[in-house]
Amino acid sequence: MAENVLVSARVPQAKRDASRGVLASLGANTSDLINSAFDYLLEKRELPAAAAPPRPSWEELDAFLAVSTIDVDWGGDAPDGDYRAILRGGKRERYESLA
């Protein structure tokens, strides 16, 4: 017969109180929760919260870049090659277009 070991953990009281109702609705208790957490760890070799966030699609990345970048004409018209002046001008144009 397997030996049971007492596990001690620090859990914020509010989190513990909030979880009691969920556990009860599942017909489970704290021991069931801890045992299933260990089972998950052994099977997946990771914590549930450690799963990587979903990667954005190429369309989502394109949309993000479109709203977070400034189109800059890097042609020969750059004032003395000062890219900061070009960016300031682009920001000014974007700001003025909002008015």
Side-chain angles (χ1 to χ4, degrees), residues 4 9 13 15 21 25-26 29 31 34-35 37-38 42-44 49 54 58 67 78 88 91-93 96 99:
N4 290 324
Q13 187 66 44
K15 186 181 288 188
S25 73
L26 296 172
N29 58 36
S31 292
I34 299 299
N35 279 297
F38 276 106
L42 292 170
E43 180 183 336
K44 305 283 186 178
W58 287 110
V67 298
R88 276 193 303 273
K91 289 178 183 178
R92 185 179 303 111
E93 288 175 17
E96 290 171 355

Side-chain angles (χ1 to χ4, degrees), residues 14-30 32-33:
K15 186 181 288 188
R16 184 170 172 158
D17 292 344
S19 68
R20 282 189 182 141
V22 175
L23 285 171
S25 73
L26 296 172
N29 58 36
T30 305
D32 297 326
L33 174 64

Side-chain angles (χ1 to χ4, degrees), residues 4 12 14-15 18 22-24 30 35-36 38-39 44 49 53 56-59 61-62 66 68 70-71 74 80 92:
N4 290 324
K15 186 181 288 188
V22 175
L23 285 171
T30 305
N35 279 297
S36 64
F38 276 106
D39 291 341
K44 305 283 186 178
S57 67
W58 287 110
E59 293 79 18
L61 179 60
D62 287 342
S68 63
I70 297 174
D71 292 328
W74 294 103
D80 300 326
R92 185 179 303 111

